[in-house]
Amino acid sequence: MALAADKPVYIFEWSPKTETDRFHSHNHLELGYCISGSGSFYFGEKSYSVGPGDVFVVNNLERHAAASDPINPSNFYFVFFDPRIIEAVDSELLQPFIYRPGHFTYKIAAGEPAAVQIGSLIREMWQEYTAGQEGHKGVMLGQLIQISGLLMRHYGRHTSGKEWQHALHDYYRLIRALDFIKSRFREPITLSDVAGVMNISPSRARHFFKEKMGEGFKEYVTRLRIGEAKRMLAGTNLPISDILYECGYETTAPFYRAFKKHTGVSPAEYRKRESRIALFEKMEIDIEKTMHSTEPIMKLK
DNA sequence: GCGGGCCCCAGTTACCTCAA
DNA sequence: TTGAGGTAACTGGGGCCCGC
């Protein structure tokens, strides 16, 4: 989901499915506040239990997913926002969102002072949003800045200013690389190209990428390409031969091998499966519409 | 922290054949 | 035409190490 330029802050109410939603990452930053129920939140290999009052800080690099308890489904307020709006006010306020493997704590447990204060601000933000009075966007932005400040104080207890500055420097370098990769993964792209964007040697780029992302450069590019292929297989009727070309592959063999390795099925099987799921989900929605007139779970303006 | 050399090997490319 | 799979040659990423 991309944030519109004129609406850099979104808040919405959302209940994760009882089975784990698909792992994903995105270009915006995210805050989650559990208002009721229970479940789990997954960040890469880590998992956290979810309960009312818990706050989750989600950066724009780590792949994550959520799941609800079948007996007592969790319900969240989620805030999505463009990191640039924080940066424009004070780049230091970005620090709580910077991903540093081994240091980053995604969950602030209910009852912790930061969770209480941030939870209260997110509830106020929701009220602002639903009331929709004149100037609500500005008020929401102010609340977001306040939340960032509280997060900075919360995390600042554990990390020195010098370490924060270093992490910020690395973050900007990594963002440049990821922006470059995301805009070029459909073409032949090498580690040397990415190193050039970061102004470091290919050797250093390799160490840096693995250290910050937890996976190798090629692995990351392949994941992007296969993700794009999956999106095109499910969302278009383009022939597979066109799709593999659109995703940066020049011949069929490597595409089929990589696709099967990542998904466990061939591209054709994947397309069949997704079309069946889409048909089933459409039938469910039609039945739901017929029986009840309910609001969608995910509300976005 | 950063750059670079060396070696290994997985992945890629460019062919091919075969089946449906 | 599309999809699957095999082979050989080649490329370049990863791991390791060392020096600055």
Side-chain angles (χ1 to χ4, degrees):
Chain A
M1 173 192 157
L3 297 176
D6 62 328
K7 292 175 185 169
V9 184
Y10 279 110
I11 185 166
F12 58 94
E13 190 177 349
W14 184 58
S15 181
K17 293 176 183 174
T18 52
E19 71 273 21
T20 307
D21 280 341
R22 291 172 189 178
F23 275 90
H24 62 280
S25 60
H26 34 61
N27 290 329
H28 51 265
L29 299 173
E30 184 177 323
L31 285 165
Y33 175 60
C34 180
I35 48 178
S36 64
S38 61
S40 300
F41 224 123
Y42 303 92
F43 296 87
E45 301 298 315
K46 296 178 187 170
S47 69
Y48 298 87
S49 61
V50 173
D54 288 341
V55 171
F56 289 88
V57 181
V58 185
N59 65 74
N60 53 347
L61 302 177
E62 182 86 336
R63 294 170 72 224
H64 54 276
S68 272
D69 182 336
I71 309 296
N72 183 24
S74 55
N75 204 29
F76 282 87
Y77 288 145
F78 272 103
V79 181
F80 283 5
F81 58 97
D82 187 331
R84 286 172 297 191
I85 62 171
I86 303 286
E87 190 184 0
V89 175
D90 181 357
S91 65
E92 287 199 347
L93 291 175
L94 266 184
Q95 291 173 3
F97 301 98
I98 291 170
Y99 175 53
R100 295 166 305 138
H103 293 78
F104 203 91
T105 311
Y106 303 92
K107 176 181 169 180
I108 304 175
E112 285 199 51
V116 173
Q117 289 175 294
I118 291 167
S120 170
L121 280 164
I122 290 176
R123 283 182 184 277
E124 287 174 24
M125 192 186 282
W126 176 251
Q127 285 164 12
E128 274 295 328
Y129 171 75
T130 50
Q133 290 182 340
E134 193 145 345
H136 73 278
K137 287 183 195 169
V139 174
M140 287 169 66
L141 180 57
Q143 286 160 335
L144 181 62
I145 300 297
Q146 235 183 309
I147 289 170
S148 301
L150 290 169
L151 283 172
M152 198 172 163
R153 288 179 192 170
H154 174 75
Y155 288 120
R157 288 180 313 185
H158 312 295
T159 315
S160 71
K162 194 175 177 183
E163 195 183 343
W164 273 130
Q165 282 303 316
H166 186 72
L168 191 63
H169 177 259
D170 283 355
Y171 173 77
Y172 285 130
R173 176 178 275 172
L174 186 60
I175 289 298
R176 280 204 304 276
L178 294 181
D179 282 348
F180 179 77
I181 295 169
K182 282 176 183 171
S183 67
R184 296 277 295 274
F185 73 87
R186 294 173 188 83
E187 310 160 27
I189 181 174
T190 65
L191 186 61
S192 296
D193 299 333
V194 179
V197 170
M198 290 194 279
N199 290 324
I200 56 177
S201 71
S203 173
R204 182 60 200 148
R206 186 152 43 86
H207 291 294
F208 182 84
F209 201 90
K210 181 88 178 180
E211 179 192 329
K212 300 299 173 190
M213 296 300 291
E215 64 184 332
F217 161 71
K218 206 69 190 178
E219 200 179 337
Y220 179 77
V221 173
T222 301
R223 189 158 60 74
L224 283 183
R225 286 175 171 169
I226 297 302
E228 178 70 358
K230 285 161 74 177
R231 189 188 64 75
M232 293 178 81
L233 284 165
T236 73
N237 290 320
L238 286 172
I240 293 172
S241 54
D242 286 1
I243 290 176
L244 70 94
Y245 183 74
E246 290 291 322
C247 295
Y249 291 91
E250 292 179 4
T251 57
T252 55
F255 172 71
Y256 282 112
R257 270 196 284 270
F259 196 92
K260 191 134 193 175
K261 184 184 170 189
H262 277 76
T263 65
V265 294
S266 69
E269 285 171 4
Y270 181 83
R271 176 172 263 169
K272 273 186 206 165
R273 193 179 74 188
E274 286 302 301
S275 61
R276 278 201 302 271
I277 290 171
L279 181 65
F280 180 70
E281 285 181 348
K282 184 180 180 304
M283 285 167 65
E284 273 193 326
I285 290 167
D286 289 345
I287 291 166
E288 183 74 13
K289 277 182 182 170
T290 308
M291 294 178 73
H292 313 285
S293 180
T294 55
E295 289 283 308
I297 294 169
M298 192 166 177
K299 298 172 185 171
L300 290 173
K301 258 187 187 175

